[in-house]
Amino acid sequence: MRSQQLVRLALKQTRSDLRTFEWRALLLALFLATALSGFLTLLGNQLEKGLSHQSAAMLGADLSLSDSQPIAEALRKEAAQRGLQYTDVVQFSSMVSTDEQMLLSSIRAVDAPYPLRGEIITDPPQSTPIPAPGTAWAEQSLLERLGVQVGATVDLGYATFTITAAVLSSPDRGTGFRSFSPQLLINHQDLAATRVIQPGSRIGYRTLFSGAEAPVRDFYTQLNSDLTPQQRLWSVYADQPLAAGALQNASGFLRMTSLFGLLLCGLLITLSLRRYSHAQYRRSALLQCLGLRPQHVLRLYLFKLMLGWASAALLGILASGLALQLTGSLLQTILPSGLPAPDYRLLVIGPLLSLTLLILIGFAPLMGISRIPVMGLLRRDQLSHQGLSWPIRLIILALSGVVIALYLGSIINALAAILLTVATILVAGLCASLMLPPLGRLLARRFRLGRLLSYRLRQQRQWHRIQLGIMCLLLTLFSSLLLSQTELVNRWRAQLPVNTPNQFVINIQPWELQPLSQFLTEAGIDTTLYPMIRGRITLINDQPPEAVLSPQQMQNNALKRELNLSWSATAPAHNELLAGDWWAEDSQESLISIEQELATNLGLTLGDKIGFEVAGQAFSATISSIRKVEWRSFRPNFYMIFSPGVLQNYPQTYITSFRLGEEHAGLSRELLRQFPSLTLIDVSQWIEQASTLIDRLIQASTLILGLTLSAGLVLVQLLVYQELEQRRHENALLQVLGSTPAQTRQLDILEFALLGFASGMMAALLTEIVTGLISSRLLELPVILHPSIWILLPLAGTALFTLSTLISHRKSGFSQLQRH
């Protein structure tokens, strides 16, 4: 038969197949696969770019290179050749004064264009992106501490500036403690007039770069390989303050959600194709009886699948684009600056992905249809086919893994997805099916059709294994996605808890401890003051570091500078003790507690001895414990904490942190008035920016979670509906034999309730395994157990499938037998 004749026959059969449930289910599967994958791809791309832009708005650029010396002109030329935009920033600490007050401030001298990402928000709004020459913009905290308003004049070195605006929010605050001081923005043209930069001054030079992602990443790689010891490089795509881990986790969650959506689509196509191919066995035998060869039958059904895919893919593209438009208003509220325009070229991914899945998954059913013998018209036992050989199945699995790897951009995740899917359907389905006979026998004594229920469970045991495997995977996907998102949100929120300190006080002298503590107590502020001494590591186990450490370990920054050292009789409440024991409060031994990451990098363990030099004097201490330090807690933290008797005789200052709320308005100014020698560092604006970013990440992940779970619920409903269609003939026969419609409906409900309970039990086990892998491998979070899911998932599985059965149940009777 020629191809044209096959195409015409395929069109006719396609129109007739529209009246069958199996074909409509397959078209719905292809439609959902196209729409869901296309929509998640577009949405994920938008959110990932938008969140990266939000992080770049905190950094002020895509790349930030800082140095203690002016940045080489050759780097700017290289950036320009790559099509990148750049600008220079000079930042330093200096005294800003009025006629009555002086304040140590952080000065930022900038050139237009600035910033390259984000914007400076001022009150009143300004028509220029940076201060005009002779003017300055001051942060609100600087105005409050100096006791002046917008319009006042301040002195900086030998120059006088008029403050024309208060800075409410600003990116690119810089790094180090000076970045947290109240900031004053001036035009770079005024820097020379101040004459504050002299030989030996501690100045920070910074060059910001921005541009397209690819050249920025390439330039980052080049700069990172050529960094000098005094240079630091920050990238929105690599390592950023605080936002790096959050954005990496958000990106991983988006990819994981897309993976789960892809698995849902694959399950839906698999189930629909299996049902459809089984329903076509008799037609295939008839076509061969009328003269078609097996290869003609194969091509005929291939044409039909292509026609179905084309129509479903077209509708899926329209649906994904429409869904993105309908959610546009919500998406625009996720990020203050809005989201970038959708890259509609990504719409092609949806139909290509659904086509690839259809070909890979549909290969086995199509081969089965074409192999049905003509005798199938006369004998039902002939309406079956030999399964594919294991080599062919492995090839199909490998190709499916390649498709998923291309979609996710990760071979490891794709391999894990394939292995978990196959293991779940095979192992979980088999194990869950073993629970059904005992449960059926338990119900048989309390239900009139209980024996029939047990018989149905035995009769359908082969198909139940597939059903249970798919149900287990569905419930596992639901619970794993929900738990991962919950743990991710908790991790993000834990980075910045509600009571995070937003003020640091340093340079506290010993004679100021008692009056400062009394001042803070009277203001209702509970805080702890920590002693601090600067010291350098000189020996490890009585040998120079270079004699016992590798060249890579010697590059650790802790060996190149002085560290902040402290001592304490008790362990800090905000540090977790991982190994060893804390010393007794009256201990006179020379003991030390070391931070975990530093100990790991230097290969130090309990019992090792470290030598230090403080103010020209040498001493040593033995490691007695190892602590885990959360550096983003905004509390005083130290690499090294000593037992009390080691450092008490050295000159020291103290440091503390606390939180000032709106009820403490004016307290910082009064604190500096009573203790003028202190340095108060305000980090509230930086915390506010980081908190805003974390809130946006939570909103974005919740939206993606809801959309994926909604698609999964559609799959559950379709799965139950398909199965009930297979029960209609049997239920009609039961009613002819004397059963009531209510009894047959109860039989269906009990069967699916048992399936839901058994699949829920297995899903609880699988969820623990999957969430452990996701937490450790993808989201880099600690692995924890979830005892509650062992109760909730079986109940949820029972309720979900019972409800779906009630919604999908259709009446059956003698007329049903007549139609068959």
Side-chain angles (χ1 to χ4, degrees):
M1 180 177 286
R2 290 180 296 181
S3 297
Q4 294 180 350
Q5 294 174 313
L6 285 176
V7 171
R8 286 197 298 267
L9 182 58
L11 287 171
K12 291 180 181 180
Q13 290 198 8
T14 300
R15 287 196 297 268
S16 66
D17 283 344
L18 288 174
R19 294 192 294 269
T20 66
F21 175 80
E22 292 81 6
W23 182 251
R24 294 198 302 268
L26 178 58
L27 292 181
L28 178 60
L30 293 172
F31 167 78
L32 287 178
T34 302
L36 183 62
S37 57
F39 178 66
L40 285 179
T41 300
L42 280 171
L43 185 62
N45 180 262
Q46 270 194 296
L47 288 174
E48 202 164 341
K49 286 185 177 180
L51 293 171
S52 295
H53 291 171
Q54 176 78 358
S55 179
M58 294 178 61
L59 194 62
D62 296 325
L63 280 179
S64 177
L65 177 64
S66 63
D67 199 342
S68 59
Q69 302 293 327
I71 307 298
E73 182 63 28
L75 292 179
R76 298 185 183 86
K77 293 182 179 179
E78 175 69 18
Q81 292 175 359
R82 294 174 179 265
L84 302 181
Q85 193 177 22
Y86 62 86
T87 189
D88 294 317
V89 181
V90 179
Q91 190 165 5
F92 56 91
S93 296
S94 184
M95 300 300 295
V96 175
S97 62
T98 64
D99 293 339
E100 300 178 354
Q101 192 71 277
M102 299 180 65
L103 180 67
L104 180 63
S105 306
S106 179
I107 313 300
R108 244 189 297 170
V110 298
D111 264 329
Y114 180 85
L116 299 182
R117 301 290 189 195
E119 62 177 335
I120 302 173
I121 301 176
T122 61
D123 182 27
Q126 300 294 295
S127 58
T128 59
I130 64 173
T135 67
W137 297 348
E139 289 187 338
Q140 192 65 40
S141 57
L142 185 144
L143 298 177
E144 291 176 358
R145 296 180 191 182
L146 288 178
V148 298
Q149 303 290 331
V150 173
T153 59
V154 296
D155 294 327
L156 174 62
Y158 289 88
T160 300
F161 296 87
T162 300
I163 299 178
T164 57
V167 176
L168 304 181
S169 177
S170 172
D172 182 42
R173 295 185 59 86
T175 58
F177 272 119
R178 66 164 169 253
S179 67
F180 297 130
S181 299
Q183 296 204 1
L184 187 75
L185 270 72
I186 65 173
N187 195 297
H188 193 276
Q189 298 180 24
D190 295 325
L191 187 58
T194 64
R195 289 190 276 176
V196 295
I197 297 182
Q198 301 294 330
S201 299
R202 294 177 63 88
I203 308 297
Y205 296 91
R206 194 160 61 253
T207 300
L208 309 180
F209 305 91
S210 67
E213 180 177 348
V216 168
R217 287 184 181 274
D218 292 340
F219 196 46
Y220 170 82
T221 303
Q222 176 185 329
L223 292 177
N224 196 44
S225 61
D226 299 330
L227 285 181
T228 62
Q230 68 271 15
Q231 289 180 332
R232 293 294 304 275
L233 181 62
W234 300 100
S235 170
V236 71
Y237 301 113
D239 48 352
Q240 326 142 54
L242 181 69
L247 277 179
Q248 182 181 4
N249 287 339
S251 178
F253 183 81
L254 290 175
R255 291 193 301 271
M256 179 185 68
T257 308
S258 297
L259 169 61
F260 283 4
L262 185 60
L263 290 178
L264 290 175
C265 295
L267 285 174
L268 195 53
I269 294 175
T270 302
L271 190 63
S272 301
L273 264 176
R274 188 179 183 90
R275 285 296 191 190
Y276 176 73
S277 62
H278 183 75
Q280 295 298 307
Y281 287 166
R282 189 176 294 275
R283 176 182 284 184
S284 174
L286 178 60
L287 290 173
Q288 293 185 59
C289 181
L290 295 176
L292 264 68
R293 297 179 180 177
Q295 59 266 32
H296 291 153
V297 176
L298 180 61
R299 289 169 57 191
L300 172 65
Y301 280 94
L302 182 60
F303 286 150
K304 290 174 63 176
L305 288 184
M306 291 300 100
L307 288 172
W309 166 79
S311 57
L314 178 60
L315 293 176
I317 291 175
L318 296 176
S320 57
L322 179 61
L324 194 65
Q325 292 298 323
L326 291 177
T327 55
S329 58
L330 175 61
L331 295 178
Q332 291 302 322
T333 63
I334 290 181
L335 296 176
S337 57
L339 290 174
D343 186 359
Y344 285 107
R345 293 175 300 179
L346 297 176
L347 278 175
V348 72
I349 292 179
L352 289 179
L353 187 62
S354 63
L355 175 61
T356 306
L357 288 175
L358 179 63
I359 293 175
L360 291 175
I361 297 172
F363 178 77
L366 287 181
M367 292 297 296
I369 293 175
S370 64
R371 292 177 178 177
I372 293 298
V374 177
M375 286 298 295
L377 289 173
L378 303 176
R379 298 177 54 182
R380 293 183 61 88
D381 62 326
Q382 295 292 316
L383 293 178
S384 61
H385 66 278
Q386 296 295 325
L388 296 176
S389 62
W390 278 106
I392 298 296
R393 294 180 182 180
L394 293 176
I395 291 175
I396 293 176
L397 285 178
L399 292 176
S400 302
V402 171
V403 172
I404 296 177
L406 292 175
Y407 181 70
L408 298 177
S410 171
I411 296 178
I412 295 178
N413 291 345
L415 180 61
I418 291 294
L419 293 178
L420 287 174
T421 302
V422 174
T424 299
I425 294 178
L426 295 180
V427 179
L430 176 62
C431 294
S433 66
L434 297 177
M435 303 179 191
L436 293 180
L439 293 174
R441 288 192 295 269
L442 183 64
L443 290 175
R445 304 171 185 175
R446 297 174 173 82
F447 182 53
R448 185 174 180 180
L449 298 181
R451 292 185 179 179
L452 187 58
L453 175 64
S454 298
Y455 174 75
R456 179 180 284 185
L457 293 177
R458 291 195 302 271
Q459 182 190 40
Q460 298 288 336
R461 60 182 180 273
Q462 295 297 331
W463 185 244
H464 278 163
R465 290 178 183 177
I466 299 174
Q467 288 177 307
L468 287 169
I470 294 176
M471 291 179 182
C472 288
L473 187 56
L474 281 173
L475 290 176
T476 301
L477 292 180
F478 287 170
S479 55
S480 299
L481 198 58
L482 184 60
L483 287 174
S484 298
Q485 197 258 2
T486 302
E487 292 174 10
L488 191 57
V489 168
N490 292 338
R491 174 65 176 267
W492 286 337
R493 291 198 186 280
Q495 291 182 5
L496 293 174
V498 176
N499 59 347
T500 299
N502 58 10
Q503 308 288 326
F504 274 87
V505 181
I506 61 175
N507 296 330
I508 305 171
Q509 301 302 318
W511 59 84
E512 295 176 309
L513 289 179
Q514 194 278 329
L516 178 61
S517 297
Q518 182 178 352
F519 175 88
L520 296 175
T521 301
E522 292 176 353
I525 297 175
D526 183 20
T527 187
T528 303
L529 288 89
Y530 298 88
M532 187 169 67
I533 295 175
R534 302 282 291 176
R536 185 181 297 273
I537 297 177
T538 57
L539 298 173
I540 295 179
N541 290 326
D542 299 324
Q543 298 185 58
E546 56 270 17
V548 295
L549 300 180
S550 66
Q552 183 178 1
Q553 290 175 317
M554 286 299 299
Q555 297 301 314
N556 193 289
N557 196 40
L559 300 175
K560 301 178 181 180
R561 62 181 178 88
E562 290 185 329
L563 301 176
N564 292 324
L565 312 177
S566 185
W567 73 86
S568 176
T570 59
H574 56 281
N575 285 186
E576 179 184 354
L577 200 64
L578 300 178
D581 298 308
W582 203 262
W583 43 79
E585 293 189 13
D586 57 351
S587 174
Q588 298 300 313
E589 297 180 84
S590 295
L591 302 176
I592 187 176
S593 177
I594 186 172
E595 187 266 339
Q596 173 197 20
E597 187 176 355
L598 180 61
T600 301
N601 292 339
L602 299 184
L604 301 174
T605 59
L606 298 178
D608 286 342
K609 184 182 294 185
I610 305 178
F612 296 87
E613 181 179 305
V614 174
Q617 300 185 37
F619 63 92
S620 63
T622 302
I623 299 176
S624 65
S625 64
I626 299 176
R627 294 168 293 115
K628 180 180 179 181
V629 175
E630 179 53 67
W631 297 103
R632 294 170 292 195
S633 66
F634 288 91
R635 299 180 184 276
N637 283 304
F638 303 90
Y639 281 112
M640 310 283 185
I641 298 181
F642 292 80
S643 54
V646 181
L647 297 177
Q648 285 182 338
N649 296 326
Y650 292 92
Q652 73 263 181
T653 60
Y654 286 78
I655 182 176
T656 189
S657 67
F658 51 85
R659 182 173 184 82
L660 289 184
E662 295 180 357
E663 67 277 12
H664 299 114
L667 183 65
S668 58
R669 182 181 179 185
E670 181 63 22
L671 175 65
L672 292 177
R673 189 188 66 81
Q674 294 191 28
F675 303 93
S677 63
L678 302 184
T679 300
L680 180 63
I681 301 172
D682 186 353
V683 298
S684 58
Q685 186 181 119
W686 197 93
I687 291 177
E688 182 179 354
Q689 288 180 323
S691 299
T692 300
L693 174 62
I694 290 173
D695 288 339
R696 307 308 182 200
L697 293 173
I698 293 172
Q699 293 175 30
S701 63
T702 303
L703 176 63
I704 293 288
L705 173 66
L707 293 171
T708 306
L709 292 185
S710 298
L713 292 176
V714 173
L715 175 57
V716 171
Q717 189 63 44
L718 183 61
L719 173 67
V720 174
Y721 190 80
Q722 281 186 314
E723 288 308 303
L724 289 177
E725 282 292 308
Q726 304 301 314
R727 305 291 189 269
R728 291 180 66 197
H729 186 274
E730 181 181 333
N731 289 344
L733 181 60
L734 289 174
Q735 292 180 37
V736 171
L737 295 176
S739 298
T740 65
Q743 289 174 334
T744 56
R745 183 168 58 252
Q746 290 174 5
L747 181 63
D748 290 336
I749 292 174
L750 281 176
E751 179 187 0
F752 280 93
L754 289 178
L755 291 176
F757 182 83
S759 59
M761 290 294 295
M762 283 304 303
L765 174 61
L766 291 170
T767 298
E768 295 284 16
I769 298 173
V770 172
T771 52
L773 291 174
I774 291 173
S775 297
S776 61
R777 301 291 300 175
L778 185 60
L779 303 180
E780 298 181 359
L781 300 177
V783 177
I784 61 175
L785 297 178
H786 312 85
S788 60
I789 66 174
W790 291 90
I791 300 175
L792 295 178
L793 276 182
L795 295 178
T798 304
L800 179 61
F801 288 100
T802 300
L803 181 61
S804 297
T805 305
L806 292 173
I807 294 174
S808 303
H809 204 280
R810 296 173 60 184
K811 293 182 179 180
S812 300
F814 184 69
S815 59
Q816 180 69 27
L817 284 177
Q818 291 178 322
R819 285 194 294 269
H820 279 70

